[in-house]
Amino acid sequence: MPETRTVFEGLSRIEILLWYGLIVVSTSVFAWGVLQLWLKYRRGRRDPVDRPVERAANMARLVFAHTSIKRRDRRVGLAHALVFYGFLLLFLGTTILGLQTDFTAPVFGWRFWQGAFYLGYKLVLDLAGLMLLVGLSVLGSTRFFRRPFRLDYWRPDRPATESDRTAYRVGDVTFLSTLFFLVLTGFLLEGLWLAQTHPPFAIWSPVGWVVGGFLADLGLTGGAAELAHHIVWWIHGVTALTFVASIPFTKAVHMVAAPANLTVRDPRAGKVLPPPDEGGGVQGGEGSEEPTGYRVLADFSWRHLLSLDACTKCGKCHAACPAVAGGYPLSPRDLVLDLREAAERAYGAHAQLGLGPAVEPLAALVPSVLRPETLWSCTQCMACVEICPVGIEHVPMINQLRRRLVEEGEMDPLLQSTFETIHKSGNSFGEQRRKRGRWTSELEVPVKDIRKEPAELLWFVGDYASFDPRNQRATRALARILQEAGVDFGILFDAERTGGCDVRRAGEEGLFASLAEQNVQAIGACEFDRIFSSDPHSFHTLRNEYPRYGGNWTVLHHSQLLLELLRSGRLTPRRRLGYRVTYHDPCTLGRYNGVYEEPREVLRALGVELVEMPRNRDNSLCCGAGGGRIWMKELRREGARRTSELRIDEAVALGSLDYFVVACPKDVTMYEDAIKTAGHQDALQLRELSELVLEALGLPEATEESVAAAPA
């Protein structure tokens, strides 16, 4: 028996013609669906994409290595890789067979689907089907039996009676069941053919060989196997063509949209927000009187419309979001799905076919699609963007929607009051500007006014580090450390204004621009080599957002500076502390800027035992202060605990600890309070990184007595 087989074995000429007709129908429906997707994205605002070759190469690396999918769940990542590569190999196998059947054989008379190639082909595809089956089994058991929190369609922003997610659940079941059905019927087809023909090379289809042997034992051979094969062939084929046709309209759309979104995504999404002229409304722009931000679907960029379709509903953003954990009415997953449904009903195939209620592209999204409290619950911590396996830009979209709300005055009165306070006083505390440098009066050695004399380093102190009494202790500790090391530094005193990080992330672009321009002007008038800040929010803004306003400097976080001084020998700890501590990664220092190891290396240099929390580095849980949330009223549902309290609970669960160490003034404020409200005053104390360094150097904290005794 030749080592090959007839492609349309047992099919009449009419059946073959019918099959090709169904292929045309399936392909046409698929093409029409893809066209509707393309037309939908074209309705979005222009948003140029550069370096297409580099982007495509990066996408291929992410997709084929499964880098983003396997993060924080290697079991599911491996299962998805089995599904991906199994499906890909089966698709390539079908393409190869079609290439011979419809092109090389009829045009050139070249038949390669035989002999050694055929045997290898059958082995590879059999193993590919097995890979697909195993991967689907793991994913199916995860979604339907293990049911982790991230796959639960429970919504934190509205009662279950106001949210029907039946369609999504049906879609999940249908998608997985269809792939299961295709691979099982594929093996059944192979087994029926082998039970019918008994070729000597059957072992080259190991799974089919086992199935064929089982069917033969049941007596399904000869004519019965031939008839069954004929029936199953049509069932399998029609199901496969239906699946292909459905891709643009179902959960399977991520097979197209996800790679596309990974190609065009902004690698710095959320970390550097677009200026108003790149993210305005329908007619908004720099120098335009038109509003900025997103208010209606017509305001969205085409990239953001594409990213909505890329969502796989994996729930990783839902599980990582501090708003979800803290009982706030926001889930980044639900926000994306709500916008996705609205875009589909306004521009997509559903709108073209008249399925469901239509959405007017120029209708306001808030409150008809999204609720304002949902948008104001976001801390802009970037946990969702950082973990999303398909590159969805939740934070920039939320920020654009906030911009329009702020412009229209639709915001928390406390937030509006804080904006007004910052506009008048230059700081969020409403203190007189001349008090900004008052913390220096308790130091034995005066601090330079860098406006009047040059220095090696300019210290941009920030609001909380300057005005908050608890944070002033850490600020003075850092100043004394630098003086001990002989560091030449100075501060701006009353010329410094708040950096504006949270102002911008709360959506107030005009105020942010004003603050940035004033700070850049003040800093630009000074003579120095580098800038540093102990406030990660200021550090981030100076480093990443001020360059647009002419502020191009080398910017350090104080943890980086401290490590530099320790490594150079300018700082030498006089004793090893020996404490058992844990460290919290601030969002704007870690996820925004990738500064994870420097604070840890400083702690190790001090001789402490560092115990990591379960969620650390890029998986750190936000304290809840970012994005302007520290200036707003609480939106938590009754009985829910603040994320700062949950974080302290995590630390206490590590066992006996001496200190909870932070490197951010807002963390000092949030976690000092959380230790008290969580009832852990006796179990844990908070220390800022500089305070531990000061202790290791053997330097006591400055007191009023020591200051008074210092020489004038």
Side-chain angles (χ1 to χ4, degrees), residues 385-515:
V385 176
E386 192 276 334
I387 193 56
C388 180
V390 295
I392 296 174
E393 301 175 4
H394 317 73
V395 167
M397 285 190 282
I398 290 174
N399 186 263
Q400 291 283 23
L401 290 158
R402 280 181 167 185
R403 287 179 179 181
R404 184 61 67 88
L405 290 178
V406 168
E407 188 155 310
E408 295 176 353
E410 298 293 330
M411 68 184 107
D412 186 320
L414 292 175
L415 179 63
Q416 186 168 16
S417 175
T418 302
F419 287 157
E420 293 170 358
T421 296
I422 293 173
H423 175 72
K424 292 176 183 177
S425 66
N427 65 81
S428 58
F429 286 80
E431 294 284 0
Q432 297 178 17
R433 293 174 184 172
R434 61 183 175 81
K435 293 184 179 181
R436 184 174 280 276
R438 184 166 290 184
W439 61 269
T440 64
S441 63
E442 295 187 28
L443 295 173
E444 298 177 13
V445 180
V447 174
K448 273 187 180 181
D449 186 338
I450 202 166
R451 298 170 298 177
K452 300 176 181 178
E453 52 182 326
E456 178 188 351
L457 293 170
L458 186 155
W459 183 358
F460 195 95
V461 186
D463 283 7
Y464 276 78
S466 296
F467 295 111
D468 177 65
R470 171 60 183 89
N471 273 291
Q472 285 177 344
R473 286 163 45 193
T475 305
R476 283 191 291 269
L478 180 57
R480 298 194 69 214
I481 292 166
L482 299 178
Q483 290 172 344
E484 174 74 8
V487 175
D488 180 24
F489 71 95
I491 65 174
L492 291 166
F493 285 89
D494 58 313
E496 180 184 311
R497 288 163 175 76
T498 185
C501 177
D502 292 297
V503 169
R504 186 172 205 205
R505 284 165 200 287
E508 230 303 1
E509 278 292 320
L511 178 57
F512 169 76
S514 174
L515 293 167

Side-chain angles (χ1 to χ4, degrees), residues 319-643:
C321 180
V324 175
Y328 286 84
L330 163 67
S331 162
R333 176 200 64 193
D334 295 328
L335 178 136
V336 166
L337 294 179
D338 287 342
L339 290 172
R340 174 181 180 167
E341 291 172 13
E344 185 63 20
R345 296 200 304 268
Y347 298 138
H350 284 69
Q352 300 300 317
L353 297 173
L355 302 176
V359 170
E360 170 55 48
L362 296 179
L365 293 168
V366 179
S368 61
V369 176
L370 301 172
R371 300 179 179 183
E373 58 267 26
T374 294
L375 301 175
W376 293 121
S377 293
C378 179
T379 65
Q380 301 275 286
C381 72
M382 287 286 290
C384 53
V385 176
E386 192 276 334
I387 193 56
C388 180
V390 295
I392 296 174
E393 301 175 4
H394 317 73
V395 167
M397 285 190 282
I398 290 174
N399 186 263
Q400 291 283 23
L401 290 158
R402 280 181 167 185
R403 287 179 179 181
R404 184 61 67 88
L405 290 178
V406 168
E407 188 155 310
E408 295 176 353
E410 298 293 330
M411 68 184 107
D412 186 320
L414 292 175
L415 179 63
Q416 186 168 16
S417 175
T418 302
F419 287 157
E420 293 170 358
T421 296
I422 293 173
H423 175 72
K424 292 176 183 177
S425 66
N427 65 81
S428 58
F429 286 80
E431 294 284 0
Q432 297 178 17
R433 293 174 184 172
R434 61 183 175 81
K435 293 184 179 181
R436 184 174 280 276
R438 184 166 290 184
W439 61 269
T440 64
S441 63
E442 295 187 28
L443 295 173
E444 298 177 13
V445 180
V447 174
K448 273 187 180 181
D449 186 338
I450 202 166
R451 298 170 298 177
K452 300 176 181 178
E453 52 182 326
E456 178 188 351
L457 293 170
L458 186 155
W459 183 358
F460 195 95
V461 186
D463 283 7
Y464 276 78
S466 296
F467 295 111
D468 177 65
R470 171 60 183 89
N471 273 291
Q472 285 177 344
R473 286 163 45 193
T475 305
R476 283 191 291 269
L478 180 57
R480 298 194 69 214
I481 292 166
L482 299 178
Q483 290 172 344
E484 174 74 8
V487 175
D488 180 24
F489 71 95
I491 65 174
L492 291 166
F493 285 89
D494 58 313
E496 180 184 311
R497 288 163 175 76
T498 185
C501 177
D502 292 297
V503 169
R504 186 172 205 205
R505 284 165 200 287
E508 230 303 1
E509 278 292 320
L511 178 57
F512 169 76
S514 174
L515 293 167
E517 290 165 358
Q518 292 177 76
N519 279 323
V520 168
Q521 183 178 7
I523 294 170
C526 303
E527 189 175 339
F528 60 92
D529 295 328
R530 298 183 295 174
I531 295 180
F532 76 94
S533 181
S534 56
D535 174 18
H537 299 256
S538 298
F539 162 70
H540 166 73
T541 302
L542 290 166
R543 184 188 189 200
N544 298 302
E545 295 182 319
Y546 276 22
R548 175 176 172 79
Y549 296 88
N552 294 289
W553 314 294
T554 299
V555 186
L556 301 173
H557 183 251
H558 79 301
S559 64
Q560 296 173 309
L561 178 59
L562 289 172
L563 182 60
E564 182 181 301
L565 295 172
L566 287 164
R567 285 176 171 173
S568 67
R570 295 176 69 179
L571 283 179
T572 303
R574 292 184 174 89
R575 67 186 185 91
R576 295 180 65 81
L577 297 182
Y579 297 134
R580 190 172 189 264
V581 308
T582 193
Y583 170 73
H584 168 76
D585 291 280
C587 302
T588 46
L589 186 62
R591 278 188 289 268
Y592 275 72
N593 289 281
V595 179
Y596 297 115
E597 299 311 315
E598 289 90 332
R600 289 172 168 81
E601 291 191 38
V602 170
L603 289 171
R604 294 188 189 103
L606 304 182
V608 304
E609 178 189 354
L610 176 61
V611 183
E612 295 286 2
M613 280 185 279
R615 288 185 278 190
N616 61 74
R617 294 177 172 81
D618 56 24
N619 193 27
S620 179
L621 180 64
C622 177
C623 73
R629 280 261 14 117
I630 199 169
W631 302 324
M632 302 182 216
K633 68 179 181 182
E634 287 286 3
L635 295 171
R636 289 177 291 128
R637 66 179 181 274
E638 186 176 353
R641 305 188 70 205
R642 292 184 297 167
T643 55

Side-chain angles (χ1 to χ4, degrees), residues 23 26-27 30 64 82-100 102 112-113 117 121 124-132 179 182-183 236 240-241 243-245 247 255-256:
I23 290 177
S26 173
T27 306
F30 172 82
F64 287 101
L82 292 174
V83 171
F84 174 81
Y85 281 105
F87 185 90
L88 181 63
L89 288 171
L90 291 170
F91 174 78
L92 290 175
T94 304
T95 303
I96 289 171
L97 180 56
L99 181 67
Q100 173 186 278
D102 301 320
F112 55 82
W113 200 56
F117 180 87
Y121 174 98
V124 169
L125 263 62
D126 233 42
L127 295 177
L130 185 60
M131 289 166 55
L132 182 57
L179 291 177
L182 286 172
V183 70
H236 176 85
L241 293 180
F243 176 78
V244 170
I247 288 175
M255 298 165 64
V256 177

Side-chain angles (χ1 to χ4, degrees), residues 12 55 61 63 111 164 168 205 209 216 326-327 354 367 399 436 477-478 580 585 591 683:
S12 67
R55 287 174 172 275
R61 178 183 62 80
V63 169
R111 300 180 181 277
D164 184 5
Y168 288 132
S205 300
W209 176 69
N399 186 263
R436 184 174 280 276
L478 180 57
R580 190 172 189 264
D585 291 280
R591 278 188 289 268

Side-chain angles (χ1 to χ4, degrees), residues 261-315:
N261 194 59
L262 286 171
T263 302
V264 304
R265 66 172 182 158
D266 181 358
R268 303 186 74 191
K271 299 177 181 178
V272 180
L273 295 172
D277 56 310
E278 294 179 13
V282 179
Q283 299 176 6
E286 192 169 6
S288 169
E289 295 183 359
E290 295 292 333
T292 60
Y294 290 172
R295 180 176 180 271
V296 300
L297 282 171
D299 292 330
F300 276 63
S301 72
W302 69 269
R303 284 194 310 109
H304 283 165
L305 291 177
L306 167 62
S307 72
L308 300 178
D309 285 334
C311 179
T312 65
K313 305 189 290 294
C314 71

